[in-house]
Amino acid sequence: QSKVHVVCMAGAGLGVTSHHPILQTRLQAGQGYGSTLSCLLTVYRNESVAGFFKGMSFPLASIALYNSVVFGVFSNTQRLFSQLRHGDPSRSPGLADVTLASMVAGFVSVGIGTPIDLVKIRLQMQTQPHTKANTKPKPSAPGSCVYRGSIHCFSTVLQKEGIAGIYRGAGAMVLRDVPGYCFHFIPYIVLCDWTNPDGCISPKASSVWLAGGVSGAISWAITTPMDVVKTRLQADGVYLTKYRGTLDCILQSYRNEGLKVFFRGITVNTVRGFPVSSATFLGYELSLKAMKRDQTETNP
């Protein structure tokens, strides 16, 4: 089991550099962006290149741990189901086993992913102007910096809002990640099986790259509506507290901006989902293959 975690950390390292969607955050929770290109140009014009790297330190420091937990839970849950259902943990899992393992991995990921996303989004949104809201304003004025960095952001939210503040948006994240990881792992396994010849133990690198990319694009496209809700809930609270919860966020967003609001950032999500997922799965499979080869050479 420990090897699964080591392998997943190696896979995470390849995907981390492109896993920082500030454009997605600004499009989903910001104001005044007409399109992805408009958002990109506005960020560059107002904040220069440094603006694209806001909130990056916390995700960089934690993405390896996050991915290792997700992949580790997924792999070990599959083995557990195979053991319980067939008496053989090494038996290839069926579709039902993969689905259940994906759901468990998605649920567990929320425990680690919610604080990471909250800090990232608060840092990315703290200089954004906010429109009126029928709520109590925070002491800082919109456009000013509330947080000095990731640690200051985390400690400030924890001090002022407690554990509930750190896990703001967790309900929406469960609704995003539980089905999201089903559409992440299932297409990957199906495509790998389809593109690999019978009897091939390890999938080819090209198959992993394609299957991983397609699965990432599919999962992010499908989960974008709930990702919008999660992002808005977590961005809420930098200056104003506008939403009372997941349902209230959905209703207010729909009432004020219509159905199209739930598809904000879908292009960015889908496009970035391909290389991020490709790199993560490729790193995972190549590292796993290297460790198996090393184990064989060590124990002939």
Side-chain angles (χ1 to χ4, degrees), residues 121-277:
I121 289 169
R122 289 288 177 92
L123 290 172
Q124 290 176 340
M125 291 299 297
Q126 67 174 338
T127 57
Q128 290 296 285
H130 284 237
T131 55
K132 63 181 184 299
N134 298 321
T135 49
K136 297 179 181 179
K138 302 276 178 159
S140 302
S144 63
C145 286
V146 179
Y147 312 113
R148 295 190 297 271
S150 298
I151 295 176
H152 182 249
C153 177
F154 184 89
S155 60
T156 300
V157 174
L158 185 61
Q159 181 181 9
K160 294 183 177 180
E161 305 174 47
I163 296 297
I166 289 295
Y167 280 90
R168 182 172 178 80
M173 198 163 181
V174 168
L175 296 175
R176 184 196 73 172
D177 284 2
V178 170
Y181 276 109
C182 290
F183 288 105
H184 191 62
F185 286 115
I186 294 174
Y188 172 75
I189 291 173
V190 170
L191 286 170
C192 274
D193 290 342
W194 181 62
T195 55
N196 276 285
D198 294 336
C200 183
I201 299 175
S202 298
K204 295 180 293 184
S206 58
S207 298
V208 172
W209 179 85
L210 178 61
V214 170
S215 67
I218 290 173
S219 64
W220 272 109
I222 290 175
T223 58
T224 290
M226 195 50 62
D227 188 49
V228 171
V229 176
K230 192 268 311 177
T231 300
R232 289 188 161 209
L233 282 169
Q234 293 185 324
D236 191 39
V238 178
Y239 308 106
L240 304 166
T241 302
K242 185 177 181 180
Y243 306 116
R244 295 190 298 272
T246 302
L247 182 59
D248 184 52
C249 180
I250 293 172
L251 294 176
Q252 283 199 50
S253 298
Y254 176 73
R255 190 181 303 121
N256 296 332
E257 301 172 68
L259 189 62
K260 65 181 181 180
V261 69
F262 299 109
F263 296 94
R264 279 190 177 186
I266 190 170
T267 302
V268 174
N269 274 348
T270 304
V271 170
R272 81 178 178 87
F274 193 103
V276 169
S277 188

Side-chain angles (χ1 to χ4, degrees), residues 4-28:
V4 172
H5 291 283
V6 172
V7 169
C8 294
M9 286 185 181
L14 289 177
V16 66
T17 54
S18 54
H19 192 63
H20 188 66
I22 189 171
L23 297 182
Q24 168 222 349
T25 301
R26 294 286 178 87
L27 285 167
Q28 292 179 345

